Structure formats: structure tokens, C-alpha cells
Amino acid sequence: MDVVKRSAAELLPTGYQVKLIGQAEEFGKTQKYMSFTFALALTLLYMVLASQFNSFVQPFIVMLAQPLAIVGGVAALWATGHTLNIYSMIGLVLLIGLVAKNSILLVDLTNQRRAEGLPVDTALRNACPVRMRPVLMTSATVILALAPAALGFGAGNETNQPLAIAVIGGMVSSTLLTLVVVPAVYSLVEGWRERRRKAQPAALPD
């Protein structure tokens, strides 16, 4: 579609234009709708996380898993020869909720350890090994449940397969990278905030 539009702009005389119809027109509409759905899902996720953690900063740390998942989902579609269609887009939207739970498990336990008096890095070193097993188990459950659809088994596989492949690719990449990226960013952000609080002068008594 982009190639046709660029070629038309270069070749057609003044007053002529190209109008896409049929499947191309419907795909253009679907792309707009899915973009809106994706943005709305991210906004709702941030609102829920902000209320859960009582923070405006920590939801961004949790949501670092989203781009990691999208990269894995798109890479899996490319590797298997599937396109970015309506079904694979739905799979990418599903990833927004599925991959956030890995970061939530990790950040929540780290916050609990810090509330017990541990410094940031010590709390992370304590929380990461504890949360690794549930993160891997829940991710493996999703991947194995979608494996038959990703392999093309069963009726309707032409619609289920791209969705399953996108979700599996996103789950694999987000699970592996979240265990590295999220703790590192949490340490940088929360460590800086903790040092900043300590550097502020104590309030004088009335």
C-alpha cells in the first residue's frame, strides 16, 4: 500500500489520485482501530499499576516488558513467514496484559523487601531468585497452551496460528529479557531516588 501511494504521487498527473478499496481499505481501517486499542490498553494498564504500587514511576518500570514482548512477537511472525494481520495484532494486544505479570511479581516482592529495611540492590538480589520460578512456570504455561495452535493443529488454524505465534514469541523474549532489564532499571531508578531522598536536608522541628 505504501509503495502504491508513493508511486502514484510520483507518476500520476495533477488532479488524479489513488483510492484503495476492498481488502486494502479494510486493513487501513483495522490498523487505525488496533492502534487505538493498543494505546487504550497501555493507558489502562498504567492506571491500574499506578494504583497498585501507589507510584507514578514504578508503573513505567513494570511496563518495560511491553516493548520487549512486541519485539519478540514481531520477530516470531517474521521468522515463521506470517504477516502483521488482524489476528496477529490481537495477539500483540494480548501481550500487554500477559507479560506485565512477570514484572509485577518481581517489583512487588522487591518493594516488600525494601519495606523490611533492605537497600535497593540487596532487595533485588533477594527477590529475583525467589520470583524466577513462578515467572518461568506461568510463562511456560502460556507457551505450552498455545503451542498446538502455533503448529497449525485443529480447525481454524489460519486465524489462530498467527495469534499464537505472536503471543509465544512475545512471551519468550519478554520472559528472558525481563529478568535482566527490569531489575537493572529498577536498581538505577530507585537507587537514584533513594540517594536523592538521603541527600535532602531533614526538616527542622517547629
Side-chain angles (χ1 to χ4, degrees):
M1 291 167 58
D2 291 337
V3 171
V4 170
K5 290 178 180 178
R6 286 198 302 268
S7 300
E10 296 172 0
L11 301 176
L12 291 180
T14 303
Y16 288 83
Q17 61 180 355
V18 172
K19 178 176 175 58
L20 300 173
I21 61 174
Q23 186 177 1
E25 183 182 18
E26 292 302 319
F27 183 79
K29 294 179 181 178
T30 301
Q31 192 173 17
K32 294 178 182 178
Y33 296 150
M34 293 305 299
S35 299
F36 172 76
T37 304
F38 201 83
L40 181 61
L42 288 174
T43 303
L44 293 175
L45 177 63
Y46 176 83
M47 293 170 63
V48 171
L49 293 175
S51 63
Q52 177 180 348
F53 292 111
N54 196 26
S55 170
F56 292 110
V57 177
Q58 288 191 353
F60 289 111
I61 300 176
V62 172
M63 293 172 67
L64 281 173
Q66 313 307 323
L68 304 179
I70 300 302
V71 168
V74 174
L77 291 170
W78 174 80
T80 55
H82 287 276
T83 61
L84 194 63
N85 53 44
I86 179 63
Y87 304 105
S88 54
M89 287 181 183
I90 292 174
L92 296 179
V93 173
L94 287 174
L95 283 172
I96 294 177
L98 290 174
V99 304
K101 50 88 183 170
N102 292 340
S103 301
I104 291 173
L105 288 171
L106 184 59
V107 172
D108 183 59
L109 185 59
T110 305
N111 289 340
Q112 293 179 30
R113 295 294 185 263
R114 291 181 63 196
E116 296 171 359
L118 295 178
V120 174
D121 291 341
T122 306
L124 281 170
R125 285 193 293 268
N126 181 275
C128 288
V130 174
R131 287 308 194 203
M132 179 178 290
R133 185 170 67 174
V135 165
L136 294 177
M137 289 176 64
T138 53
S139 298
T141 301
V142 174
I143 292 171
L144 293 175
L146 291 173
L151 295 174
F153 297 147
N157 62 333
E158 63 276 358
T159 59
N160 296 331
Q161 194 172 25
L163 185 150
I165 290 174
V167 173
I168 289 176
M171 290 299 298
V172 171
S173 65
S174 67
T175 300
L176 296 177
L177 295 175
T178 296
L179 294 172
V180 178
V181 175
V182 172
V185 175
Y186 186 98
S187 176
L188 290 172
V189 173
E190 293 299 325
W192 174 79
R193 294 177 68 190
E194 193 171 84
R195 291 191 298 271
R196 187 181 179 187
R197 283 194 296 265
K198 291 180 179 178
Q200 292 178 348
L204 296 175
D206 295 335

